[in-house]
Amino acid sequence: MASLNLLIGVCLVYVAVLFAVAFAAERLAVRGNSHWLGSPLIYTLSLSIYCTAWTFYGAVGYAARSGLEYLTIYIGPSLVMVGWLWGVRKMVRIGRSQRITSIADLLSSRYGKSNLLAIFVTVLAVIGTTPYIALQLQSVTLSFAAFAATDPSVAMPDDSNLTALWVAAGLAFFTVLFGTRNLDANERHHGVVTAIALEAVVKLVALLAVGIFVVWGVGGGVAETMARIDASSLGHWEMASGRWSGLIFLSAAAFLCLPRMFQVLVVENDDESHLRTAVWAFPGYLMLMSLFVMPIAVTGLAMLPEGSNPDLFVLTVPLAEGRTGLAMLSFLGGFSSATSMVIVASIALSTMVSNHVVMPIWLRINGTGAMVSGDVRHVVMLARRLSIVGVLLLGYLYYRVSGGGTALAAIGLISFSGVAQILPALLGGLFWRGATRLGALCGLAVGFALWLWCLFLPSFGADVIVPARVLAEGPFGLAGLRPQALFGIEGIDPLVHGVLWSMLFNACTFFAVSTFTFPSPMERLQGAQFVNVFAHSNTPRGWQGGVAQSEDLMIMSQRILGAGQAQALFRNAAQQQGLPGYLPEPTAEFLQLLEREMSGSVGAATAHAMVSQIVGGASVSVEDLMAVADETAQMMEYSSQLEAKSDELIRTARQLRAANEKLTQLSVQKDAFLSQISHELRTPMTSIRAFSEILRDTDGLTVEERGRYSSIIHDEAIRLTRLLDDLLDLSVLENGQVSLNIRQGRLDEVLDRAVAAVLQGGGIALRRDRAAEAILLETDIDRLSQVFINLIANARKYCDAAQPSLTIAVRQRDRVVTVDFIDNGSGIASDAQEVIFEKFSRIGEGKAGGAGLGLAICREIMTRLYGTVAYLPGQGGAAFRVTLPARALMAAQ
Amino acid sequence: MGRNILVIEDEPNISEAIGFILSRDGWRVATHANGVDAADAVRSRRPDLVILDVMLPGRSGYDILKELRADAGTADLPVLMLTARGQAKDREMAATAGASRFMTKPFSNAEVLEAVRDLVRE
């Protein structure tokens, strides 16, 4: 016979294994080897927390009482997964893009980050989940008791409450340990999820093992078992269509709305593509779980004495057959179902309670909220841990109070119908832009009230809370308000009755109030983001930057996110903005990012409140409102096209304006230029014409006069030619049409050539340092030489010193060569230093010579050679510096 | 009538040419190559006619002419303006400044002689 001590031992070993698995998974995740942890299989298995102890034990009991109706509980979620994958994907996408931490957070975020709504949903979830947790504790206790009953060595444990307390405490410990490891609820709880996946396998294997034993070990094969089922009353297909469709709807709604399902489905989702696996694997899992329910129920009913609890058939049938090992496995399956549900549910609830109830209160008590001293992380963490303990304590207390008498399934369904009240607000939020916060609140309130009155309170049984007289006759004798026959409509199944009325009134109120109220800008914004999440997955633009102090934000977010994560976030943002250090500009984008990161830790509403405390109030920009005002994606598209077009027009206009300005400028320049050219051309022409007429018309010129005048004509003609050459040269250079003749040459040789070209007859003393000039260049040597010639010629022409001298200084530094031409004249006045490089600027007085194009040409040439030529002030005379860049350099010899 | 002419022109070749032409015609020609003290040169030399270039180093011919016209002693002095810029705008500016006659470079020697003779006869 089974030894209770052995069972306790197995149980402890199993728990130890769970701890080890969770711990190992956490370690792996930390090391980054988490790709198999994040596999679609693990995700699918984690979804199996839908199958709690209620399903594990209760389904058989349900079948034993109501036949095939138990199937509805599996059909609902399967229909959702298979038929409504699109909607589930939308929820997951929103959850990820908005960093949603819980179902309450989702609604709060959708309806303008309203914390009131979040609190409401949290309260609803706690009330709806507490009985369910109690149920799990009860199932463990009952199964334990069932085992103990078969152990003759131990007296029946008289205090089953103690067992429940131990179980609750153990679960609290495990959940606190692995569920509050990361503050950011959006980070996956790898340890927990992996442990749950393991438990999913255990419960499936256990149920299948019991089933196989029943069919082949007891029943003698498939055919005989089927025959037995047919023979029993359970096999009759009695489908009360109202109740069936009601239950299918309820289970489908619960699948979406249950906090724990939302936790594994959305929050713990690692990758949207995992849904593709889950869509067939999860219904498959449910099918396997339900496969042997009927045979076990029939066998149990036939085999066990009248009055045995059918909820425990999974356990008691193997025990009755003396299969202790199998029974133990079955016990572990039930234990797994219970613990995994409680763990996830308490994580989900604790996140909601701490984010939406504890933190806002704490922040309010501490006044300035974000700017409090100390590490807020510890507060959040503590709040979450206390919430876990609190949730489990509530479950335990409920278990104590309710006495654990009623059928398991009944509590389960009532719990389902409680959380299903969230469905209208949830669906409305996902698909209807017109849904408003007030509508959601009113719908929830009405639905919740009706659920309390029609389902929850009566579930304790007549006279426990609701007096039997009220049940039978209605409050104050108002028959129309009887909890199980509202408006005098009788004869409906109480559950269907409650669900029907509560959901109907909930949905209608939600719709009506939403229609007649006006959403706030923030709601509109979030609404657009949620409804069109696939169209634009970006986050809303809610902040006006530039007001907040980055440093304050940094201080705050370090407390929420932890120093390392916050600093990394700030530094990345600063880098993206091209700023050094840790403080980015508080732009709208950055504030959104920050808010989103923080909402992963403390929920959307709190994060929004904290940021707004520093930034000084959220604002919705006109742009955002415009974006929201566009009702459809097409309009968005159209509008963005228009915007692009209008941007383009503005750009074109700007370009045209610039072009026009430039043309005007060019026209002015051209006028001045033509005028200058006219002057420069006419001057030598005047001399040429005048002297040629003299030569032609004047008789009796002496030979000297004739020779002198001829040579004047000749000089002026040459001057004219040179001018034209310069003009052409400049024009070619300016148009960039010049073709450079890049070749190698030595700087000293280039200088030699230039000096030789200009100073054949001396005229100015030259000082050079030949050693410094020994540099190999690769550039257009002829053009460079042209520049040098110009500069040297200028020095000779304009240097006004009594003993003119020119120093050519060459220096090489950082692969840049500078060649300075410094004379000892009076130099150039500072206001003229820039002008001299303009065309036709001549500042030399009286000394006729060039047309004032030389330096302009030099500058053009140097630009083409990727160098510069500039006036070098403060050298005691006129000084010009030619700079040749590294590109024109070869390694110095 | 006197026959003294002052040529104010910075291009040495041009003033030499004008000087030659006018000398051959019997005029006494002085030259001045700089704009800054050109008006002073006019006042001190008291020529019967001034040939004035527009583009002079230091000071523009228009400014010099305006100064001469403002001075009672030279207000009626015949001034022949020469410019290398032949645009209508330059002609207007010369008329406003009070030029007796305006000629564009390059000119024919005969034109210059004729203009000088006309201006002095008036």
Side-chain angles (χ1 to χ4, degrees):
Chain A
M1 277 285 110
S3 142
L4 195 62
N5 288 331
L6 181 64
L7 182 73
I8 292 172
V10 167
C11 225
L12 288 178
V13 168
Y14 180 65
V15 169
V17 167
L18 282 184
F19 270 87
V21 165
F23 187 69
E26 287 283 349
R27 289 286 296 273
L28 273 177
V30 167
R31 283 201 211 127
N33 295 337
S34 59
H35 73 269
W36 70 267
L37 290 177
S39 79
L41 198 67
I42 299 272
Y43 177 68
T44 308
L45 284 173
S46 74
L47 291 184
S48 76
I49 58 151
Y50 179 77
C51 303
T52 62
W54 172 38
T55 339
F56 190 84
Y57 295 121
V60 173
Y62 203 145
R65 290 188 197 95
S66 319
L68 286 170
E69 197 178 280
Y70 77 94
L71 282 175
T72 54
I73 305 304
Y74 298 110
I75 293 173
S78 300
L79 281 180
V80 169
M81 274 315 260
V82 176
W84 203 60
L85 180 68
W86 169 69
V88 175
R89 223 184 100 220
K90 188 166 188 175
M91 248 166 72
V92 171
R93 173 74 66 88
I94 290 171
R96 292 172 64 81
S97 75
Q98 302 274 334
R99 295 185 71 81
I100 297 298
T101 57
S102 64
I103 180 94
D105 197 28
L106 181 86
L107 289 192
S108 148
S109 183
R110 162 62 182 85
Y111 294 104
K113 306 186 181 177
S114 152
N115 202 46
L116 182 64
L117 193 59
I119 291 173
F120 204 99
V121 175
T122 302
V123 169
L124 185 66
V126 169
I127 295 178
T129 310
T130 302
Y132 220 101
I133 291 175
L135 190 61
Q136 310 305 314
L137 297 177
Q138 184 190 32
S139 75
V140 174
T141 316
L142 282 180
S143 58
F144 214 72
F147 246 94
T150 61
D151 188 351
S153 63
V154 181
M156 180 72 189
D158 40 25
D159 193 2
S160 63
N161 290 336
L162 196 65
T163 318
L165 187 62
W166 273 111
V167 172
L171 286 172
F173 180 63
F174 181 89
T175 313
V176 166
L177 197 61
F178 291 103
T180 59
R181 199 152 262 246
N182 296 319
L183 180 58
D184 191 344
N186 223 311
E187 279 178 27
R188 318 292 176 266
H189 300 97
H190 287 291
V192 172
V193 170
T194 313
I196 284 164
L198 176 69
E199 295 197 287
V201 174
V202 169
K203 64 192 177 196
L204 182 64
V205 167
L207 201 59
L208 288 180
V210 173
I212 289 167
F213 168 72
V214 163
V215 172
W216 282 278
V218 182
V222 179
E224 287 175 48
T225 308
M226 292 307 281
R228 195 131 29 105
I229 292 173
D230 276 344
S232 81
S233 60
L234 301 183
H236 296 303
W237 194 260
E238 285 174 37
M239 210 172 104
S241 64
R243 191 168 158 85
W244 269 65
S245 47
L247 287 175
I248 289 175
F249 166 78
L250 201 56
S251 59
F255 180 70
L256 290 172
C257 298
L258 279 170
R260 67 171 194 277
M261 286 318 294
F262 190 87
Q263 180 80 24
V264 286
L265 191 67
V266 177
V267 180
E268 301 284 352
N269 178 282
D270 235 348
D271 188 339
E272 219 175 279
S273 65
H274 290 173
L275 284 172
R276 280 206 296 272
T277 307
V279 73
W280 57 264
F282 180 64
Y285 184 95
L286 293 184
M287 200 202 75
L288 288 177
M289 283 298 277
S290 58
L291 197 58
F292 291 108
V293 166
M294 212 45 158
I296 296 171
V298 171
T299 309
L301 281 178
M303 209 169 77
L304 295 173
E306 196 83 4
S308 313
N309 186 354
D311 284 334
L312 290 175
F313 278 174
V314 180
L315 199 61
T316 46
V317 167
L319 275 179
E321 289 287 313
R323 301 291 183 132
T324 316
L326 185 63
M328 223 166 251
L329 180 63
S330 165
F331 173 82
L332 282 186
F335 185 74
S336 292
S337 312
T339 51
S340 57
M341 178 273 161
V342 174
I343 289 165
V344 178
S346 54
I347 288 177
L349 285 182
S350 73
T351 305
M352 286 157 75
V353 169
S354 74
N355 281 357
H356 302 302
V357 182
V358 179
M359 283 312 288
I361 291 172
W362 188 85
L363 285 174
R364 185 160 300 175
I365 289 172
N366 284 275
T368 48
M371 296 313 294
V372 289
S373 59
D375 194 338
V376 179
R377 283 163 63 78
H378 287 154
V379 179
V380 177
M381 203 70 100
L382 189 66
R384 208 160 284 177
R385 287 176 178 159
L386 288 178
S387 304
I388 289 173
V389 174
V391 164
L392 280 163
L393 197 65
L394 264 183
Y396 173 71
L397 287 178
Y398 186 93
Y399 167 75
R400 285 288 300 270
V401 170
S402 69
T406 38
L408 297 179
I411 301 186
L413 285 175
I414 284 164
S415 186
F416 270 22
S417 57
V419 291
Q421 300 303 326
I422 299 172
L423 192 69
L426 176 68
L427 293 186
L430 292 182
F431 299 103
W432 184 34
R433 296 267 294 274
T436 68
R437 188 180 76 103
L438 209 58
L441 271 174
C442 293
L444 272 174
V446 169
F448 181 62
L450 281 171
W451 172 75
L452 272 183
W453 181 245
C454 300
L455 293 168
F456 188 66
L457 297 181
S459 77
F460 291 89
D463 280 335
V464 177
I465 292 178
V466 184
R469 205 169 57 78
V470 173
L471 275 178
E473 297 166 20
F476 317 111
L478 295 170
L481 294 182
R482 273 175 293 168
Q484 292 172 349
L486 281 183
F487 312 113
I489 298 173
E490 292 177 67
I492 314 177
D493 175 82
L495 181 76
V496 176
H497 167 269
V499 170
L500 186 71
W501 285 124
S502 62
M503 290 307 285
L504 189 68
F505 275 88
N506 180 340
C508 289
T509 312
F510 168 64
F511 183 76
V513 176
S514 286
T515 308
F516 290 109
T517 53
F518 201 70
S520 71
M522 183 56 87
E523 280 178 73
R524 297 189 139 228
L525 209 57
Q526 291 293 90
Q529 289 294 324
F530 274 56
V531 174
N532 301 328
V533 68
F534 291 120
H536 34 89
S537 281
N538 290 332
T539 43
R541 302 149 63 107
W543 296 110
Q544 244 169 21
V547 196
Q549 298 295 315
S550 292
E551 204 171 337
D552 290 344
L553 288 170
M554 176 88 164
I555 293 167
M556 173 188 69
S557 45
Q558 278 185 339
R559 289 189 186 125
I560 306 280
L561 302 170
Q565 201 189 333
Q567 282 161 13
L569 180 74
F570 273 64
R571 193 173 47 200
N572 285 342
Q575 265 173 6
Q576 272 171 9
Q577 294 177 6
L579 297 172
Y582 284 90
L583 294 180
E585 285 294 313
T587 59
E589 288 75 18
F590 173 65
L591 290 174
Q592 281 152 25
L593 175 76
L594 187 63
E595 191 191 321
R596 206 157 10 112
E597 288 293 328
M598 288 193 356
S599 70
S601 298
V602 292
T606 307
H608 191 70
M610 291 181 96
V611 173
S612 62
Q613 263 172 345
I614 289 182
V615 180
S619 61
V620 178
S621 71
V622 177
E623 257 175 273
D624 297 332
L625 287 178
M626 289 292 287
V628 174
D630 299 329
E631 280 302 320
T632 62
Q634 281 96 335
M635 276 190 76
M636 286 288 279
E637 177 64 18
Y638 182 60
S639 138
S640 73
Q641 275 174 4
L642 273 182
E643 203 173 300
K645 280 218 179 77
S646 132
D647 282 353
E648 204 179 306
L649 277 178
I650 290 171
R651 258 200 311 281
T652 314
R654 205 185 302 129
Q655 282 167 352
L656 278 176
R657 214 167 21 243
N660 191 38
E661 263 166 39
K662 193 160 185 191
L663 279 176
T664 312
Q665 227 171 45
L666 278 175
S667 160
V668 170
Q669 277 179 4
K670 196 193 71 186
D671 283 352
F673 184 68
L674 281 176
S675 176
Q676 284 279 7
I677 287 191
S678 165
H679 180 261
E680 296 302 326
L681 289 173
R682 282 167 189 273
T683 302
M685 294 279 264
T686 309
S687 300
I688 290 169
R689 183 168 176 187
F691 283 109
S692 56
E693 283 185 15
I694 289 168
L695 288 175
R696 187 191 65 192
D697 300 338
T698 315
D699 299 326
L701 284 174
T702 63
V703 178
E704 291 80 38
E705 280 175 327
R706 195 176 291 274
R708 177 171 160 71
Y709 297 157
S710 304
S711 62
I712 287 178
I713 291 173
H714 182 249
D715 288 350
E716 292 289 351
I718 288 174
R719 179 178 163 189
L720 205 50
T721 314
R722 199 171 59 230
L723 176 65
L724 289 172
D725 284 346
D726 281 357
L727 277 174
L728 283 174
D729 203 14
L730 193 61
S731 152
V732 166
L733 283 165
E734 280 184 338
N735 291 332
Q737 295 163 337
V738 65
S739 54
L740 295 174
N741 175 22
I742 306 289
R743 60 192 169 92
Q744 287 188 15
R746 289 167 61 96
L747 180 59
D748 48 356
E749 287 169 7
V750 182
L751 281 168
D752 285 346
R753 210 169 333 140
V755 169
V758 182
L759 303 181
Q760 277 164 334
I764 190 162
L766 210 55
R767 279 186 213 145
R768 289 171 64 181
D769 176 7
R770 292 200 162 268
E773 291 169 7
I775 293 172
L776 190 65
L777 299 172
E778 186 175 6
T779 184
D780 189 325
I781 299 296
D782 296 330
R783 285 294 188 179
L784 188 60
S785 163
Q786 189 184 349
V787 172
F788 291 166
I789 289 171
N790 242 301
L791 294 176
I792 297 167
N794 278 354
R796 196 187 65 163
K797 209 182 296 175
Y798 298 113
C799 179
D800 51 2
Q803 287 178 322
S805 77
L806 175 66
T807 307
I808 300 176
V810 176
R811 213 165 293 124
Q812 184 182 3
R813 192 183 302 143
D814 300 333
R815 298 183 58 73
V816 172
V817 173
T818 58
V819 186
D820 297 346
F821 298 85
I822 307 165
D823 68 25
N824 59 345
S826 54
I828 293 171
S830 59
D831 56 342
Q833 285 169 7
E834 212 21 62
V835 182
I836 49 174
F837 290 100
E838 299 298 329
K839 283 170 281 197
F840 302 113
S841 62
R842 265 182 310 181
I843 53 168
E845 274 184 35
K847 285 195 177 178
L853 292 174
L855 286 176
I857 290 174
C858 287
R859 191 161 65 171
E860 287 298 330
I861 290 174
M862 288 318 296
T863 307
R864 297 284 166 258
L865 298 182
Y866 301 100
T868 56
V869 54
Y871 188 77
L872 200 59
Q875 303 297 314
F880 291 87
R881 165 164 289 180
V882 173
T883 309
L884 287 163
R887 195 180 147 149
L889 257 181
M890 296 276 288
Q893 286 180 325
Chain B
M1 263 330 217
R3 300 187 59 85
N4 291 321
I5 293 176
L6 179 61
V7 177
I8 305 172
E9 164 66 71
D10 64 323
E11 278 285 328
N13 290 341
I14 295 177
S15 46
E16 185 175 349
I18 294 173
F20 180 86
I21 300 158
L22 294 177
S23 307
R24 296 278 296 188
D25 200 44
W27 303 84
R28 280 185 296 281
V29 181
T31 58
H32 187 88
N34 158 17
V36 181
D37 50 359
D40 293 339
V42 173
R43 275 189 285 269
S44 62
R45 288 173 183 274
R46 313 191 62 79
D48 300 300
L49 181 139
V50 171
I51 295 178
L52 179 61
D53 185 27
V54 172
M55 296 257 300
L56 287 168
R59 201 171 178 206
S60 108
Y62 301 126
D63 288 349
I64 298 164
L65 182 55
K66 274 179 203 156
E67 189 184 330
L68 291 177
R69 290 298 179 235
D71 189 332
T74 54
D76 297 325
L77 182 67
V79 174
L80 169 60
M81 284 210 91
L82 296 176
T83 177
R85 300 181 181 187
Q87 289 166 339
K89 197 177 65 184
D90 300 301
R91 193 172 288 273
E92 273 170 38
M93 281 177 76
T96 315
S100 314
R101 191 158 303 186
F102 181 88
M103 286 181 74
T104 307
K105 294 174 183 175
F107 42 77
S108 83
N109 295 351
E111 262 174 30
V112 174
L113 267 179
E114 196 187 332
V116 167
R117 285 177 192 148
D118 281 358
L119 285 172
V120 174
R121 203 178 300 131
E122 278 166 7

